[in-house]
Amino acid sequence: MPLTFDDLLTRARALPRGGRRAILGIAGSPGAGKSTLADRLVRELNGTGEPWVAHVPMDGFHLADAELDRLGRRDRKGAPDTFDAAGYAALLRRLREESDGDIVYAPGFERVLEQPIAGAVPVPPSARLVVTEGNYLLLETGAWARVRSRLDEVWFCGPAEAERVRRLTARHERYGKSPAEAAAWALGPDQRNAELVAATRHRADLVVPPV
Ligand SMILES: Nc1ncnc2c1ncn2[C@@H]1O[C@H](COP(=O)(O)OP(=O)(O)O)[C@@H](O)[C@H]1O
Ligand SMILES: [Mg+2]
Protein backbone atom coordinates (compact mmCIF):
# COMPACT_ATOMS: atom_id res chain seq x y z
CA MET A 1 0.00 0.00 0.00
CA PRO A 2 1.46 3.42 -0.92
CA LEU A 3 1.71 5.92 1.91
CA THR A 4 -1.15 8.41 2.12
CA PHE A 5 -1.00 11.97 3.42
CA ASP A 6 -2.75 10.73 6.59
CA ASP A 7 0.08 8.20 7.08
CA LEU A 8 2.57 11.07 6.86
CA LEU A 9 0.59 13.04 9.46
CA THR A 10 0.54 10.06 11.81
CA ARG A 11 4.27 9.50 11.42
CA ALA A 12 5.09 13.18 11.98
CA ARG A 13 2.82 13.38 15.03
CA ALA A 14 4.68 10.47 16.66
CA LEU A 15 8.16 12.03 16.33
CA PRO A 16 8.33 14.08 19.56
CA ARG A 17 8.78 11.53 22.35
CA GLY A 18 8.73 12.10 26.08
CA GLY A 19 8.16 15.83 25.72
CA ARG A 20 11.42 16.29 23.80
CA ARG A 21 11.31 18.53 20.72
CA ALA A 22 11.78 16.64 17.44
CA ILE A 23 13.01 17.95 14.10
CA LEU A 24 11.74 16.51 10.85
CA GLY A 25 13.67 17.28 7.66
CA ILE A 26 12.22 17.29 4.15
CA ALA A 27 14.81 17.15 1.37
CA GLY A 28 14.48 17.19 -2.40
CA SER A 29 15.55 18.97 -5.57
CA PRO A 30 14.45 22.52 -6.47
CA GLY A 31 10.73 22.52 -7.29
CA ALA A 32 10.15 19.06 -5.80
CA GLY A 33 7.37 20.37 -3.55
CA LYS A 34 9.21 20.48 -0.20
CA SER A 35 7.85 23.85 0.93
CA THR A 36 4.33 23.00 -0.19
CA LEU A 37 4.41 19.68 1.68
CA ALA A 38 5.88 21.30 4.81
CA ASP A 39 3.21 24.05 4.77
CA ARG A 40 0.46 21.46 4.48
CA LEU A 41 1.88 19.22 7.22
CA VAL A 42 2.32 22.15 9.60
CA ARG A 43 -1.16 23.53 8.88
CA GLU A 44 -2.90 20.18 9.38
CA LEU A 45 -0.88 19.16 12.44
CA ASN A 46 -1.52 22.51 14.14
CA GLY A 47 -5.22 22.46 13.27
CA THR A 48 -7.11 25.21 15.05
CA GLY A 49 -5.57 24.71 18.49
CA GLU A 50 -2.45 26.14 20.14
CA PRO A 51 0.38 25.81 17.52
CA TRP A 52 2.90 23.08 18.43
CA VAL A 53 4.59 22.64 15.03
CA ALA A 54 6.92 25.21 13.41
CA HIS A 55 8.22 25.49 9.82
CA VAL A 56 11.88 26.48 9.40
CA PRO A 57 13.08 26.73 5.76
CA MET A 58 16.73 26.05 4.89
CA ASP A 59 16.21 28.81 2.26
CA GLY A 60 16.62 31.42 5.01
CA PHE A 61 20.33 30.55 4.99
CA HIS A 62 20.92 31.81 1.43
CA LEU A 63 23.87 34.20 1.49
CA ALA A 64 22.88 37.79 0.63
CA ASP A 65 23.64 39.04 -2.91
CA ALA A 66 26.28 41.45 -1.57
CA GLU A 67 28.21 38.53 -0.07
CA LEU A 68 27.75 36.38 -3.20
CA ASP A 69 29.23 39.27 -5.23
CA ARG A 70 32.21 39.47 -2.85
CA LEU A 71 32.75 35.72 -3.24
CA GLY A 72 32.16 35.79 -7.02
CA ARG A 73 29.33 33.23 -6.74
CA ARG A 74 26.25 35.26 -7.69
CA ASP A 75 25.85 33.42 -11.01
CA ARG A 76 25.32 30.11 -9.26
CA LYS A 77 23.01 31.23 -6.48
CA GLY A 78 21.31 28.13 -5.08
CA ALA A 79 24.42 25.90 -5.20
CA PRO A 80 25.58 24.36 -1.90
CA ASP A 81 28.36 26.94 -1.42
CA THR A 82 25.94 29.87 -1.73
CA PHE A 83 24.34 29.07 1.64
CA ASP A 84 25.55 29.53 5.22
CA ALA A 85 25.55 25.78 5.88
CA ALA A 86 27.40 26.13 9.19
CA GLY A 87 24.82 28.67 10.36
CA TYR A 88 21.99 26.29 9.45
CA ALA A 89 23.64 23.39 11.30
CA ALA A 90 24.13 25.64 14.35
CA LEU A 91 20.49 26.74 14.29
CA LEU A 92 19.39 23.10 14.22
CA ARG A 93 21.55 22.45 17.29
CA ARG A 94 19.96 25.40 19.08
CA LEU A 95 16.51 24.11 18.15
CA ARG A 96 17.39 20.76 19.72
CA GLU A 97 18.99 22.19 22.85
CA GLU A 98 16.93 25.31 23.56
CA SER A 99 13.42 23.95 23.65
CA ASP A 100 12.46 25.96 26.72
CA GLY A 101 13.16 29.58 27.50
CA ASP A 102 13.17 32.18 24.74
CA ILE A 103 11.89 32.20 21.18
CA VAL A 104 14.57 30.96 18.76
CA TYR A 105 14.50 33.08 15.58
CA ALA A 106 15.33 31.60 12.18
CA PRO A 107 15.89 33.66 9.03
CA GLY A 108 13.34 33.59 6.23
CA PHE A 109 13.77 33.99 2.47
CA GLU A 110 11.96 36.66 0.48
CA ARG A 111 11.23 35.26 -2.99
CA VAL A 112 10.65 38.52 -4.85
CA LEU A 113 13.82 40.17 -3.47
CA GLU A 114 15.55 36.74 -3.46
CA GLN A 115 17.23 37.75 -0.18
CA PRO A 116 17.36 36.23 3.30
CA ILE A 117 15.65 38.15 6.11
CA ALA A 118 16.91 37.74 9.68
CA GLY A 119 14.44 37.28 12.50
CA ALA A 120 11.58 36.31 10.20
CA VAL A 121 10.64 32.88 11.61
CA PRO A 122 9.90 32.61 15.34
CA VAL A 123 10.12 29.17 16.95
CA PRO A 124 8.38 29.44 20.33
CA PRO A 125 9.37 27.22 23.26
CA SER A 126 5.99 25.49 22.86
CA ALA A 127 6.98 24.05 19.44
CA ARG A 128 7.36 20.28 20.01
CA LEU A 129 7.99 19.55 16.32
CA VAL A 130 10.04 21.60 13.88
CA VAL A 131 9.64 20.83 10.18
CA THR A 132 12.69 22.04 8.28
CA GLU A 133 13.03 21.69 4.52
CA GLY A 134 15.52 22.37 1.78
CA ASN A 135 17.75 21.02 -0.96
CA TYR A 136 20.86 20.00 0.91
CA LEU A 137 19.79 18.33 4.16
CA LEU A 138 21.37 15.01 3.10
CA LEU A 139 24.61 16.31 1.59
CA GLU A 140 27.79 14.85 3.11
CA THR A 141 30.19 17.65 2.13
CA GLY A 142 31.47 20.50 4.32
CA ALA A 143 29.21 21.80 7.09
CA TRP A 144 26.18 20.11 5.45
CA ALA A 145 27.48 16.85 6.92
CA ARG A 146 26.52 18.14 10.40
CA VAL A 147 22.88 18.63 9.45
CA ARG A 148 21.65 15.03 9.25
CA SER A 149 22.65 14.12 12.82
CA ARG A 150 20.49 16.97 14.14
CA LEU A 151 17.34 15.69 12.43
CA ASP A 152 15.17 12.89 13.81
CA GLU A 153 14.00 11.80 10.38
CA VAL A 154 14.49 13.00 6.82
CA TRP A 155 11.87 12.49 4.14
CA PHE A 156 12.63 12.91 0.47
CA CYS A 157 10.30 14.55 -2.07
CA GLY A 158 10.90 13.11 -5.51
CA PRO A 159 8.12 13.71 -8.04
CA ALA A 160 8.60 12.61 -11.65
CA GLU A 161 11.42 14.64 -13.16
CA ALA A 162 9.41 16.24 -16.00
CA GLU A 163 6.74 17.36 -13.54
CA ARG A 164 9.36 18.82 -11.16
CA VAL A 165 10.98 20.86 -13.96
CA ARG A 166 7.56 22.06 -15.15
CA ARG A 167 6.59 23.26 -11.67
CA LEU A 168 9.97 24.88 -11.07
CA THR A 169 9.86 26.78 -14.36
CA ALA A 170 6.31 27.98 -13.62
CA ARG A 171 7.42 29.15 -10.16
CA HIS A 172 10.31 31.18 -11.62
CA GLU A 173 7.86 32.86 -14.00
CA ARG A 174 5.46 33.61 -11.18
CA TYR A 175 8.23 35.43 -9.31
CA GLY A 176 9.09 37.64 -12.26
CA LYS A 177 11.38 35.81 -14.71
CA SER A 178 10.52 35.78 -18.43
CA PRO A 179 9.65 32.34 -19.85
CA ALA A 180 13.10 32.13 -21.46
CA GLU A 181 14.91 33.15 -18.24
CA ALA A 182 12.80 30.74 -16.21
CA ALA A 183 13.61 27.81 -18.49
CA ALA A 184 17.31 28.75 -18.59
CA TRP A 185 17.56 28.72 -14.75
CA ALA A 186 15.51 25.54 -14.34
CA LEU A 187 17.55 23.62 -16.92
CA GLY A 188 20.90 25.28 -16.10
CA PRO A 189 22.04 26.11 -12.55
CA ASP A 190 18.95 24.53 -10.93
CA GLN A 191 19.49 21.30 -12.85
CA ARG A 192 23.07 20.91 -11.62
CA ASN A 193 21.83 21.36 -8.05
CA ALA A 194 18.92 18.97 -8.67
CA GLU A 195 21.34 16.24 -9.71
CA LEU A 196 23.46 16.75 -6.57
CA VAL A 197 20.34 16.44 -4.44
CA ALA A 198 18.97 13.41 -6.31
CA ALA A 199 22.20 11.57 -5.50
CA THR A 200 21.45 11.94 -1.74
CA ARG A 201 18.02 10.30 -1.94
CA HIS A 202 19.27 6.92 -0.65
CA ARG A 203 20.11 8.54 2.71
CA ALA A 204 16.45 9.44 3.41
CA ASP A 205 14.30 7.51 5.87
CA LEU A 206 11.27 7.70 3.61
CA VAL A 207 10.48 8.76 0.04
CA VAL A 208 7.27 10.79 -0.09
CA PRO A 209 4.82 9.52 -2.72
CA PRO A 210 2.98 12.09 -4.86
CA VAL A 211 0.30 13.54 -2.53
N1 LIG B 1 1.58 18.19 -5.10
C1 LIG B 1 1.66 19.21 -5.96
N2 LIG B 1 0.87 19.27 -7.04
C2 LIG B 1 0.97 20.32 -7.90
N3 LIG B 1 1.80 21.37 -7.76
C3 LIG B 1 2.61 21.36 -6.70
C4 LIG B 1 2.59 20.29 -5.74
N4 LIG B 1 3.53 20.55 -4.79
C5 LIG B 1 4.10 21.72 -5.16
N5 LIG B 1 3.55 22.21 -6.29
C6 LIG B 1 3.92 23.46 -6.97
O1 LIG B 1 5.23 23.28 -7.51
C7 LIG B 1 6.04 24.43 -7.30
C8 LIG B 1 7.26 24.03 -6.50
O2 LIG B 1 6.84 23.64 -5.20
P1 LIG B 1 7.64 24.08 -3.93
O3 LIG B 1 6.91 23.56 -2.75
O4 LIG B 1 7.89 25.56 -3.99
O5 LIG B 1 9.00 23.27 -4.17
P2 LIG B 1 10.38 23.29 -3.36
O6 LIG B 1 10.12 23.94 -2.05
O7 LIG B 1 10.75 21.84 -3.25
O8 LIG B 1 11.36 24.02 -4.24
C9 LIG B 1 5.17 25.44 -6.56
O9 LIG B 1 4.72 26.39 -7.48
C10 LIG B 1 4.03 24.62 -6.01
O10 LIG B 1 2.85 25.36 -5.96
MG1 LIG C 1 10.97 25.64 -1.24
Side-chain angles (χ1 to χ4, degrees):
M1 281 286 284
L3 286 168
T4 64
F5 185 72
D6 277 346
D7 295 332
L8 297 179
L9 287 175
T10 303
R11 186 156 167 156
R13 213 176 262 123
L15 287 174
R17 288 183 198 99
R20 194 183 63 78
R21 175 183 284 163
I23 312 182
L24 167 64
I26 300 176
S29 294
K34 304 174 297 290
S35 303
T36 304
L37 175 65
D39 277 341
R40 187 166 169 213
L41 282 170
V42 170
R43 190 170 60 246
E44 300 221 10
L45 289 168
N46 278 330
T48 53
E50 194 61 30
W52 64 282
V53 188
H55 179 178
V56 173
M58 186 204 92
D59 269 354
F61 289 87
H62 268 95
L63 296 175
D65 282 350
E67 176 61 359
L68 291 176
D69 284 338
R70 190 185 72 84
L71 295 166
R73 298 179 191 167
R74 176 93 166 258
D75 58 344
R76 54 198 168 88
K77 192 169 180 166
D81 66 351
T82 64
F83 288 85
D84 176 17
Y88 180 54
L91 177 81
L92 295 174
R93 194 186 57 228
R94 283 188 67 201
L95 288 171
R96 293 201 82 84
E97 292 173 357
E98 300 174 32
S99 60
D100 44 18
D102 293 333
I103 294 176
V104 173
Y105 284 100
F109 185 67
E110 214 291 318
R111 278 213 172 273
V112 175
L113 297 173
E114 291 195 319
Q115 295 298 293
I117 311 248
V121 179
V123 181
S126 58
R128 298 339 293 161
L129 179 65
V130 172
V131 180
T132 187
E133 44 94 12
N135 294 355
Y136 303 124
L137 276 49
L138 296 171
L139 235 57
E140 292 178 274
T141 49
W144 295 112
R146 298 201 285 276
V147 168
R148 177 64 188 90
S149 64
R150 292 166 192 175
L151 304 174
D152 291 81
E153 278 196 358
V154 181
W155 299 355
F156 195 91
C157 269
E161 186 62 5
E163 175 65 9
R164 184 188 66 76
V165 173
R166 195 189 60 72
R167 290 182 197 165
L168 178 61
T169 309
R171 191 183 70 197
H172 282 319
E173 287 185 42
R174 214 165 42 250
Y175 286 100
K177 288 189 167 58
S178 71
E181 288 167 342
W185 266 95
L187 299 172
D190 287 342
Q191 186 59 29
R192 280 194 293 283
N193 301 330
E195 285 164 17
L196 267 180
V197 174
T200 67
R201 176 184 177 128
H202 67 281
R203 300 187 73 211
D205 299 293
L206 175 156
V207 175
V208 177
V211 286

